[in-house]
Amino acid sequence: MKKKTTRELPPVIPASPELLAKMQRLSERPPVSFEVAKAQTDLMLKGRTNENENRPEPQSGHWRKAG
Amino acid sequence: MAQGRLIHDSDIDPVPLLSNSTSEHEVRYPTADRRVVKKTWPGFYGQIPVWKDDRVEREPATPAEYLDRQALQNEVFGSDLRLEGVNVSERPSMIIGEPAGLPSFVVTQRFIEGADARFPKPPDARIAEFFEAHGFEAIPRSYFGWVRRADGVVVLDARGDNFVLSAEGVIPIDLQMALVPELIARSAR
């Protein structure tokens, strides 16, 4: 049986104009040096865990399978 | 980077290494046009959300699903992920048991600088605000998962280290994404 892919699904809601404007403004900022990028990357990966962790149940309790 | 073609090790190696310790990519920066290079580990194309046993789980993506994931991030969050090509390295695989010579995808994106160099990762509350502002709700019993019922877009691995708290607010940089039709709200079908 052919595996279903996302290409066969309906289109998604595109990014909001506000978000696109933010991304555009970020693209206009001057590029950072390798040293700055390296320091930020190391900081972001510090203490990273790869094991599964479960999110807590939302307080609203509105989770359900659609349909 | 090369465009839409086979990319050789000699094209990638000159770009300084930022990290080879992430689970899905080797990361380098900067290219000549000041972009971040992400190369998938050979023979492994990341993970995506799938609907399995009445819950959202993660599974290894096929190459096509990895590309769908990149396209989804561009479409939903306005990212600028760009497929540069495919690399076939002759070096030994980083994955135990995998033979050499398996293909990797090479993608690039702009580097997003943190607004505060000391705290580039947004706190969980800011990530939650970001998703809720874009119509998502948290998925219980999932791996940092969020779903948008209107179109079934699911995001997993939404941890702080996959976002940057930039001068423009929270910006996603690398998300495990897919469409999960089982989660589209009935009214949206």
Side-chain angles (χ1 to χ4, degrees):
Chain A
M1 182 176 165
K2 184 175 177 291
K3 187 174 182 183
K4 193 169 188 177
T5 73
T6 53
R7 282 182 293 275
E8 298 165 326
L9 296 171
V12 300
I13 300 168
S16 66
E18 294 78 13
L19 187 52
L20 291 173
K22 287 182 180 181
M23 298 306 289
Q24 179 60 36
R25 288 195 292 272
L26 286 171
S27 73
E28 294 165 354
R29 297 175 70 87
V32 303
S33 67
F34 172 79
E35 288 72 23
V36 169
K38 176 68 174 162
Q40 178 173 310
T41 301
D42 288 348
L43 197 54
M44 291 187 68
L45 295 177
K46 188 177 178 182
R48 179 169 186 159
T49 60
N50 283 319
E51 297 304 314
N52 280 1
E53 298 174 45
N54 295 328
R55 287 189 64 84
E57 296 280 335
Q59 293 302 307
S60 61
H62 57 200
W63 166 252
R64 80 281 180 211
K65 180 182 174 184
Chain B
M1 287 272 106
Q3 292 192 357
R5 55 180 179 256
L6 200 58
I7 298 176
H8 299 282
D9 289 342
S10 58
D11 297 319
I12 298 172
D13 289 350
V15 183
L17 183 67
L18 271 187
S19 170
N20 61 4
S21 63
T22 71
S23 59
E24 296 187 337
H25 303 96
E26 174 188 274
V27 186
R28 294 173 178 269
Y29 175 84
T31 61
D33 53 354
R34 315 292 288 185
R35 292 172 68 81
V36 177
V37 181
K38 298 197 300 191
K39 186 178 88 165
T40 60
W41 299 118
F44 181 68
Y45 307 100
Q47 292 187 297
I48 56 162
V50 295
W51 184 252
K52 190 175 183 180
D53 299 330
D54 281 341
R55 59 186 289 175
V56 177
E57 300 279 5
R58 296 194 297 174
E59 283 191 350
T62 64
E65 289 167 339
Y66 176 82
L67 297 180
D68 285 342
R69 165 182 150 175
Q70 308 302 311
L72 262 183
Q73 188 173 322
N74 284 347
E75 184 72 9
V76 174
F77 297 119
S79 299
D80 72 332
L81 287 153
R82 182 191 301 165
L83 173 64
E84 303 286 354
V86 172
N87 168 253
V88 181
S89 176
E90 290 307 314
R91 295 191 192 117
S93 173
M94 296 284 286
I95 298 175
I96 296 170
E98 290 285 1
L102 293 176
S104 299
F105 281 125
V106 179
V107 300
T108 64
Q109 65 191 117
R110 73 173 64 103
F111 186 88
I112 305 294
E113 185 180 14
D116 184 334
R118 298 168 302 168
F119 304 107
K121 287 192 279 191
D124 289 348
R126 293 292 302 271
I127 293 173
E129 286 174 12
F130 173 84
F131 278 113
E132 287 163 4
H134 290 88
F136 287 77
E137 62 186 77
I139 306 175
R141 297 186 300 123
S142 69
Y143 189 63
F144 296 88
W146 294 82
V147 60
R148 188 163 64 186
R149 297 293 193 159
D151 55 9
V153 171
V154 170
V155 177
L156 293 182
D157 201 21
R159 299 180 294 177
D161 47 4
N162 286 318
F163 298 80
V164 172
L165 186 53
S166 74
E168 296 288 342
V170 173
I171 301 295
I173 54 173
D174 188 19
L175 300 177
Q176 296 175 349
M177 298 180 67
L179 287 172
V180 178
E182 290 86 351
L183 295 180
I184 299 175
R186 183 191 293 271
S187 60
R189 291 179 179 174

